[in-house]
Amino acid sequence: MNPHSIKSRSRAVLVTCAALALAACASTPEPKEQMAVANSSVEQASGNAAEAPAELSTARDKLARANVAIAKKDFVLARQLADEAAADAALAQATARSARSTRALSEVRESIKQLQVQLNRS
């Protein structure tokens, strides 16, 4: 091997080791913002418990698991679960809105049918 090639490889190894050392020292911060968003989202979705119980239950479960991960200092998992809890809470709200819209549409259709029956009698 030529000395220039060895020197280049040594530098590459040194740079790689330095980068790995810096990455190891950099810790993931506590996901305070994600937890706040998840808590707020689940709280808002709680008003829809009757219309989207499965989705809300999933959101609450993931939020509880995120809190456990925080206690264990597993901030990567906590962030992921908090984000998922917020998404599940949003799904619960969307499911509830859809259910309300479907009911309202059914009521309007029933009213139209009744009006048509009354018009046909006249």
Side-chain angles (χ1 to χ4, degrees):
M1 289 194 129
N2 95 31
H4 186 268
S5 173
I6 293 173
K7 199 173 190 179
S8 294
R9 285 191 180 150
S10 295
R11 283 186 190 153
V13 169
L14 181 63
V15 168
T16 302
C17 288
L20 289 173
L22 285 174
C25 291
S27 63
T28 303
E30 185 174 340
K32 293 178 182 178
E33 183 178 325
Q34 287 85 355
M35 290 299 292
V37 168
N39 278 310
S40 176
S41 297
V42 169
E43 186 178 316
Q44 288 175 357
S46 292
N48 303 312
E51 296 165 318
E55 294 85 351
L56 183 58
S57 176
T58 300
R60 285 178 175 158
D61 176 62
K62 287 181 182 174
L63 183 58
R65 290 172 43 209
N67 281 314
V68 169
I70 291 269
K72 292 181 179 180
K73 305 283 189 217
D74 188 349
F75 298 146
V76 172
L77 179 60
R79 180 181 315 272
Q80 177 185 350
L81 289 168
D83 287 342
E84 289 179 16
D88 289 334
L91 176 60
Q93 289 185 309
T95 300
R97 277 193 305 273
S98 177
R100 287 190 297 269
S101 295
T102 299
R103 277 195 310 275
L105 179 60
S106 293
E107 290 171 7
V108 167
R109 285 182 175 162
E110 183 59 33
S111 294
I112 290 171
K113 281 183 185 179
Q114 290 175 0
L115 288 172
Q116 286 175 336
V117 167
Q118 288 178 355
L119 282 174
N120 289 336
R121 289 184 192 164
S122 300

